[in-house]
């Protein structure tokens, strides 16, 4: 580990986003420092579902998720087995004819943009997922979506960066992040030409004014039931519930893990800043899962936990230079898609810092869109 | 269940029985619940003959019956909550579903479990916990003529040896890691303060005469083709092999503190911290028995009586038992000192020796980690169904890690149970 007096780039936050940035920058030959207060991948990255999913909420969200999904598919063969990459595909489940119409529409929308999808009739759906309740209308299959085990991916990306010369500072808390400096709790200073805030839901604590808010989520993991569910299953209603940016909501979202376990989600809450498990929210979330898969009620759950997404007012992440401080950049605000979009974020950051053309237009994600802080504050109110 | 217990007792071992009977006789409406199909706890369940000075299981059960304690066996406490009116409850799950047991005072008597330390070959079929092997034999497993080795540490070894000997097993060796000198001094100190225990120990010792005892020794390796065949026993400088069909091995006990932690009770050195009255750091929640310090049946019972009186507001009655309890607490310290684990046990696991059996994580992967959290996130250690119940204490001894407070459920529970907000199945929108 060579340690220059001034790094090209120093990154605060060793979640999957910080790790992906470190790796992409190291690949371009830059000297990089990555600073994590706890364990690599221990923040939202350890709490999330690890569903790598193409989304169609907006063109900008689509572009980022699709670009990133393709990066995941390129990386997959090189990932060690304990990253648990599995291309199980997503099934967007339609409960009724109205939602089935949305399936058809999405099928065309994705098709127009080169994403392979197929529609499943009611009987095809029950053949694909026999444990779903009967009477559902059908589903949209997105076969290239996948699941991963995020904390080990974060570790793997950071270790790859380290092999390329990056310096990892683990167990070091960043106190101040400005003017080309990371001041650590122990008083030591890491200097860099560019410093990046990749602190997830903690971003605004270190850089006041960054328009991110904590959005709490609950997940439950079961014991091992191999084959009980075969695809990531998400209700189409998810689009209605999860993506309205205000209020508490739950949605049916169940994922098969390579261990045979099921991960059951999901919930979204603003204003809940502490990590305790909220029983009414968990109940509502599980009732929803049971509505779709009645037999899930009989499975043994072994643990429930919570995590915080970093939510922005417009549901898009903050990637790029920030504010008057010429040295300070952001790579945060990934809300519920940061596992998916981590790899793309790393590439965008690395291309922007090295002055190359980005693979997709970067404007929708530039923090400058909130340049007027008042506007940002206004937007972030529910 | 719409009622609210004046006092709810979790765990029906010697401690819980004493607490429930005492509180009920003092006039409280008491509920007593345990996850096993029968009351009695680790020691009295399935008609164990082991004696205690003060009381027998049958005497307590008689008092429980006549004081009209509501006994619920076969229900496991998995979670805690508060109902719409603000009354706290413990959610218990059993074969018939779940119940929410509401309470005003809560007494936790959740006991202890064995500590397992990994060594090469410890996962071979034929190897059990010492207490586990005893339980297995009690529930009908035929050990007649089997060659059995008991190993590890603690008074439990002698009790189990006696039991298996009576059940017809051929005890090949009893291997206690503590040196004889430490046990002798424990015996001397015990004589005045705990005659019952000393006699009990001696009685076992005599009953099993003819058995080979090795003090200051431990099992360093197990071998066999698909099942246990041979063990290596060592004292650090000399080793020898014995042939065996079964090994019962346990390194004394670790307290079951998960439920107390979930409720927010403070710990001290890994045990639930209590006041004189057995009240924990949480008002109206008491804790007794092994969960507050490993000290055996007599300690559990006297603490149970104190908690029962305290919960009923009979502080003077409780106070009259403090001296007897404090005598037991001195025993707790001596016990811990006598059976303290030796350094060499930290070095038994090899690169490929599994430490976390749920997730198959070997020592080699874990020793690169610096904390329980790092191990958990990067190797999946402790992520399986036991949620670190077994490997957690082992990693604490091996690597000095501390597992964070548990998240619900404290035991695996069905998704349907967790989904319900209360027994009526009403859920909030
Ligand atoms: C319940 C839930 C489900 C989710 N499901 C999915 C999903 O299926 N698919 C998907 O794509 N995304 C999902 N997400 C979102 C995803 O988990 C996050 O977007 C992603 O993990 C964000 O990564 P990050 O690196 O930005 O943040 P984090 O992982 O939170 O990383 C930030 C890091 O900074 C460190 N840190 C904080 N403060 C300091 C400091 N002062 N000094 C040094 N270090 C510090 C933290 O310890 C942490 O490691 C989900 C999130 C939740 C909560
Ligand atoms: C495996 C084993 C075998 C033992 N054998 C002997 C022996 O032969 N001789 C001897 O002298 N001592 C023996 N002991 C020691 C003995 O347990 C104690 O001395 C004594 O029983 C302590 O009483 P207690 O009431 O504190 O706990 P326990 O007797 O352990 O009672 C605790 C009870 O609480 C129940 N419980 C725990 N958590 C929950 C929950 N979440 N929900 C519902 N119920 C719960 C347990 O199943 C148990 O029935 C043994 C200990 C163990 C662990």
């Amino acid at each position: 580990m060579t340690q220059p007096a001034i790094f090209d780039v120093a990154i605060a936050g060793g979640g999957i986003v910080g790790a992906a940035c470190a790796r992409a920058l190291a690949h371009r030959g830059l000297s990089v420092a990555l600073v994590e207060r706890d364990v690599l991948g221990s923040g939202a990255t350890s709490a999330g579902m690890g569903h790598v999913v193409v989304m169609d909420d907006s063109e900008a969200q689509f572009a980022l998720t699709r670009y990133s999904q393709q990066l995941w598919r390129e990386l997959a063969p090189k990932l060690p087995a304990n990253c648990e990459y599995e291309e199980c595909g997503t099934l967007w489940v339609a409960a009724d004819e109205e939602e089935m119409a949305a399936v058809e529409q999405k099928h065309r929308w994705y098709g127009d943009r080169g994403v392979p999808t197929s529609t499943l009739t009611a009987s095809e759906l029950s053949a694909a997922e026999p444990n779903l309740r009967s009477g559902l209308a059908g589903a949209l299959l997105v076969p290239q979506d996948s699941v991963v085990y995020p904390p080990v991916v974060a570790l793997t990306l950071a270790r790859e960066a380290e092999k390329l010369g990056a310096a990892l500072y683990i167990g070091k808390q960043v106190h101040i992040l400005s003017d080309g400096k990371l001041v650590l709790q122990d008083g030591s200073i890491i200097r860099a030409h560019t410093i990046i805030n990749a602190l997830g839901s903690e971003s605004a604590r270190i850089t006041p004014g960054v328009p991110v808010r904590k959005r709490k989520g609950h997940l439950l993991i079961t014991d091992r039931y191999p084959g009980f569910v075969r695809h990531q299953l998400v209700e189409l209603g998810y689009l209605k519930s999860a993506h309205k940016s205000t209020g508490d909501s739950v949605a049916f979202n169940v994922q098969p893990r390579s261990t045979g376990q099921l991960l059951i989600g999901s919930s979204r809450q603003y204003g809940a800043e502490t990590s305790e498990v909220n029983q009414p929210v968990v109940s509502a979330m599980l009732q929803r899962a049971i509505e779709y898969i009645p037999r899930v009620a009989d499975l043994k759950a072994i643990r429930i936990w919570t995590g915080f997404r970093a939510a922005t007012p417009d549901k898009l992440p903050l990637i790029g230079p920030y504010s008057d401080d010429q040295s300070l950049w952001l790579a945060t605000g990934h809300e519920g898609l940061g596992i998916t979009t981590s790899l793309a974020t790393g590439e965008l950051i690395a291309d922007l810092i090295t002055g190359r053309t980005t693979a997709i237009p970067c404007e929708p994600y530039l923090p400058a869109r909130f340049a007027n802080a008042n506007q940002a504050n206004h937007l972030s109110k529910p | 269940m719409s009622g609210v217990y004046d006092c709810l007792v979790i765990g029906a071992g010697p401690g819980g029985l004493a607490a429930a009977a005492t509180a009920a006789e003092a006039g409280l409406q008491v509920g007593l619940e345990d996850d096993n199909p029968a009351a009695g706890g680790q020691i009295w369940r399935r008609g164990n003959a082991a004696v205690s000075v003060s009381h027998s299981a049958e005497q307590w059960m008689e008092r429980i019956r006549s004081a009209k304690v509501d006994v619920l066996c076969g229900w496991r406490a998995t979670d805690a909550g508060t109902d719409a009116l603000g009354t706290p409850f413990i959610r218990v799950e059993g074969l018939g579903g779940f119940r929410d047991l509401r309470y005003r005072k809560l007494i936790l008597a959740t006991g202890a479990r064995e500590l397992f330390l990994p060594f090469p070959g410890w996962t071979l079929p034929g190897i059990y916990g010492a207490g586990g092997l005893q339980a297995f034999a009690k529930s009908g497993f035929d050990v007649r003529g089997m060659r059995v080795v008991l190993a590890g540490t603690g008074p439990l070894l002698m009790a189990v040896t006696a039991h298996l000997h009576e059940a017809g097993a051929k005890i090949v060796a009893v291997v206690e890691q503590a040196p004889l000198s430490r046990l002798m001094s424990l015996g001397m100190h015990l004589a005045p303060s705990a005659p019952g225990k000393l006699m009990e120990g001696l009685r076992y010792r005599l009953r099993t005469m003819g058995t080979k005892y090795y003090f200051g020794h431990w099992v360093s390796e197990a071998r066999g083709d698909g099942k246990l065949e041979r063990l290596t026993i060592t004292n650090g400088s000399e080793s020898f092999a014995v042939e065996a069909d079964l090994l019962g091995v346990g390194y004394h006990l670790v307290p079951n503190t998960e439920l107390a932690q979930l409720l927010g009770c403070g710990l001290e050195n890994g045990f639930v911290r209590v006041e004189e009255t057995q009240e924990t750091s949480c008002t109206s929640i008491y804790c007794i028995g092994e969960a507050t310090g490993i000290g055996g049946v007599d300690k559990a019972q006297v603490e149970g009586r104190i908690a029962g009186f305290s919960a009923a507001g009979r502080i003077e009655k409780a106070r009259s038992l403090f001296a007897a309890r404090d005598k037991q607490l001195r025993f707790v310290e001596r016990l811990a000192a006598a059976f303290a684990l030796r350094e060499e046990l930290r070095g038994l696991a090899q690169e490929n020796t599994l430490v976390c059996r749920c997730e198959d994580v070997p020592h080699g992967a874990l020793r690169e980690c610096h904390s329980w959290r790092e191990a958990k996130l990067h190797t999946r250690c402790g992520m399986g169904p036991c949620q670190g119940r077994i490997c957690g204490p082992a990693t604490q001894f091996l690597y000095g890690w501390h597992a964070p407070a548990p998240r619900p459920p404290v035991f695996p529970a069905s998704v349907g149970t967790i989904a319900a907000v209360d027994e009526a199945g009403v859920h909030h929108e």
Side-chain angles (χ1 to χ4, degrees), chain A residues 38-42 46 82 84 149 151-152 155 220 222-224 259 261 264 275 277 279-280 282-284 286-287 290 296-306, chain B residues 79 91 93 358-359 371 373-374 376-380 383-387 404-409 411-421 425-429:
Chain A
D38 189 356
V39 172
L40 288 167
S42 60
S46 69
N82 59 357
E84 299 178 21
Y149 182 53
V152 172
L155 175 70
L220 175 148
T222 69
D223 205 345
R224 301 181 178 203
T259 53
Q261 293 171 291
I264 305 179
S275 64
V277 169
Q279 180 61 37
V282 170
S283 296
L286 297 180
Q287 297 279 359
I290 293 168
V296 101
D298 300 327
L299 307 188
K300 283 284 180 199
I302 61 175
R303 199 177 153 103
I304 304 169
W305 66 88
T306 60
Chain B
D79 205 350
R91 178 161 294 180
E93 190 177 73
C358 296
E359 297 290 335
S371 66
R373 187 148 168 77
E374 180 178 354
K376 185 163 174 164
L377 291 178
H378 295 170
T379 73
R380 301 187 54 84
M383 282 205 173
C386 97
Q387 284 290 294
R407 286 293 186 99
F411 276 100
S414 71
V415 171
T417 292
I418 300 170
V421 158
V426 182
H427 73 91
H428 301 190
E429 285 302 332

